[in-house]
Amino acid sequence: MAIPDFIREIRATAGHQLLLLPGVSAVVFDEEGRVLLGRRADTGKWSIIGGISEPGEQPATTAEREVYEETAVHCVAERVVLTQALPPTQYENGDHCQFLDVTFRCRATGGEARVNDDESLEVAWFHVDALPPLDEFALFRIKQSLTDGPTWFETTTPQ
C-alpha cells in the first residue's frame, strides 16, 4: 500500500510511534444491488474499498475519491453506516497506527469497474448472496449498509 506523503512527513519526526489516522470504507452498490469489491494487492483477499483521508478532506469525499482511484467507478456517498476505532496495528517497518474508520454506503454513478491503481489485483461486482470469502471487517460493513437502521457506532475502546 502506498503511504501518503503527509504521513511520510509526520513519520520523519514522529518515528514509529502510534498515530491515530482518519480512514474511510466504502460499500458501493450498483443499480442491480451488487456490491463492488477489490482483491487487495497486499493480502490477496477480497474486501470493500477504503483509504486514508488527506488533510482537510471531508470523509465522504475521501470515500468517493478512493473508490475512483482504486476501481475507476464514480460514486456518491449516500450515508454513514458505521463509525469505529479499529484496534492498533503494527506494520513490518515498525510503524504503529490506529484507524478511525467511517464507513459509507455509496451509490455507483458511472465508470466501468477495473483495476485502476496498484492497490488491487482484481475488481468486480458481486451479488450480496454470492460474495467471495470476506473477513469480518468487510462482511459487517456490507451488512450494516443493507439495513435502514441508524448508524452503528462502537462504545468500547479497542484492545
Side-chain angles (χ1 to χ4, degrees):
M1 292 294 145
I3 299 173
D5 289 340
F6 81 95
I7 302 266
R8 287 185 199 282
E9 292 173 16
I10 293 170
R11 287 289 183 206
T13 57
H16 298 299
Q17 70 180 303
L18 180 68
L19 297 180
L20 178 62
L21 300 173
V24 302
S25 299
V27 182
V28 183
F29 292 97
D30 68 3
E31 66 281 349
E32 296 177 40
R34 299 177 300 174
V35 65
L36 180 64
L37 300 175
R39 194 162 68 83
R40 296 174 56 107
D42 61 345
T43 65
K45 296 179 180 180
W46 287 98
S47 193
I48 57 176
I49 309 304
I52 299 173
S53 295
E54 296 286 335
E57 186 176 46
Q58 293 295 330
T61 302
T62 302
E64 294 166 359
R65 175 182 55 78
E66 287 287 343
V67 168
Y68 181 76
E69 285 178 0
E70 295 181 26
T71 70
V73 170
H74 293 280
C75 71
V76 173
E78 294 184 314
R79 66 182 175 95
V80 173
V81 297
L82 181 147
T83 61
Q84 182 181 39
L86 303 178
T89 188
Q90 181 177 350
Y91 290 94
E92 289 182 16
N93 68 357
D95 288 351
H96 291 83
C97 68
Q98 181 176 12
F99 293 99
L100 175 59
D101 179 62
V102 178
T103 301
F104 290 89
R105 178 187 167 107
C106 301
R107 177 177 41 86
T109 59
E112 294 292 323
R114 64 178 169 83
V115 173
N116 205 34
D117 66 9
D118 61 354
E119 293 187 39
S120 300
L121 301 172
E122 295 178 76
V123 171
W125 293 100
F126 293 89
H127 290 280
V128 293
D129 60 351
L131 296 171
L134 296 171
D135 61 21
E136 185 57 33
F137 177 91
L139 287 171
F140 184 66
R141 282 154 176 75
I142 292 169
K143 178 182 173 187
Q144 291 303 120
S145 296
L146 293 170
T147 68
D148 289 329
T151 299
W152 185 92
F153 58 93
E154 191 164 315
T155 58
T156 58
T157 304
Q159 302 302 318

